Amino acid sequence: MGQGVESSPNIGISDYKLEVVHDFVYLGSTISDSLSLDSAFNKCLGKASTTMSRLTNESWTLRARQERKLNAYHMRCLRHILDITWQDKVTNNSVLGRARILSMYLRLKLRRMRWLGHVVRMGDDRIPKDLLYGEMTQ
C-alpha cells in the first residue's frame, strides 16, 4: 500500500511479488491508502452493531448484584459520553437528567412489567402463564 502516491508501489522479494491492498488492520487500527477514516469507522460500527445484535437475542435473569454492575457500567458510559469526570462530583440522578434517559434499574423494571402484562393476558393453557402462577409440589 502506498499512501498519498499516484501509482501503486511494486515491491517483490525473490520471486514473490507483494500484493497491493487498499486497507489493512495493524495493531487493531485500520490503515487505508486513501488517508480516510471511513474504513476504520465502518469496521468499528460493524463490530458495535454485531455486539448489540448478539445482546438483543439473549435474555438473562439478573440477580441484584448483576443489576448493580449493569447500572454502574451504564452510568460510566453516560459519564464518558457527557464528558463528566468523577472529580466533577455530579450525582447519578443529575447525569440521568442531563442525558434525559431512565436509570438501568427503572428500564429493567419496565421491561419486567411489560413481560408480566403479556403473560397475564395469555390463555390459561400457555406454559409461561403456568410457570408464573404455578406452585411447587412437595
Side-chain angles (χ1 to χ4, degrees), residues 10 12 20 30 39 42 48 52 56 70 76 83 125-126 132:
N10 187 6
V20 176
T30 303
S39 178
N42 290 338
M52 282 301 296
T56 57
L70 185 60
R76 270 196 315 272
D83 198 27
D125 60 332
R126 301 283 306 272
L132 180 64

Side-chain angles (χ1 to χ4, degrees), residues 89-104:
K89 297 188 187 325
V90 178
T91 66
N92 286 347
N93 287 336
S94 297
V95 172
L96 292 168
R98 284 188 199 180
R100 298 184 190 143
I101 60 173
L102 302 173
S103 72
M104 190 54 61

Side-chain angles (χ1 to χ4, degrees), residues 58-90:
E58 297 178 19
S59 62
W60 305 322
T61 303
L62 297 177
R63 306 268 191 244
R65 178 177 48 89
Q66 295 159 335
E67 283 187 17
R68 285 192 302 272
K69 284 184 176 184
L70 185 60
N71 189 61
Y73 177 72
H74 182 233
M75 293 308 301
R76 270 196 315 272
C77 290
L78 287 177
R79 287 174 184 274
H80 181 74
I81 290 168
L82 297 172
D83 198 27
I84 299 171
T85 66
W86 64 271
Q87 293 137 336
D88 295 334
K89 297 188 187 325
V90 178

Side-chain angles (χ1 to χ4, degrees), residues 1-118:
M1 173 191 337
Q3 289 185 325
V5 295
E6 293 182 22
S7 62
S8 300
N10 187 6
I11 302 171
I13 300 172
S14 296
D15 294 337
Y16 183 77
K17 183 181 175 207
L18 292 178
E19 177 186 355
V20 176
V21 295
H22 299 288
D23 61 1
F24 65 94
V25 177
Y26 178 71
L27 297 177
S29 297
T30 303
I31 312 296
S32 172
D33 61 357
S34 65
L35 302 175
S36 171
L37 292 176
D38 289 342
S39 178
F41 184 75
N42 290 338
K43 284 185 181 183
C44 188
L45 280 179
K47 289 177 184 178
S49 177
T50 300
T51 301
M52 282 301 296
S53 67
R54 286 182 185 157
L55 288 175
T56 57
N57 292 335
E58 297 178 19
S59 62
W60 305 322
T61 303
L62 297 177
R63 306 268 191 244
R65 178 177 48 89
Q66 295 159 335
E67 283 187 17
R68 285 192 302 272
K69 284 184 176 184
L70 185 60
N71 189 61
Y73 177 72
H74 182 233
M75 293 308 301
R76 270 196 315 272
C77 290
L78 287 177
R79 287 174 184 274
H80 181 74
I81 290 168
L82 297 172
D83 198 27
I84 299 171
T85 66
W86 64 271
Q87 293 137 336
D88 295 334
K89 297 188 187 325
V90 178
T91 66
N92 286 347
N93 287 336
S94 297
V95 172
L96 292 168
R98 284 188 199 180
R100 298 184 190 143
I101 60 173
L102 302 173
S103 72
M104 190 54 61
Y105 294 124
L106 193 52
R107 287 172 166 263
L108 292 171
K109 185 175 183 176
L110 289 173
R111 284 183 179 240
R112 286 182 187 125
M113 295 302 288
R114 186 171 39 195
W115 180 81
L116 285 171
H118 289 302

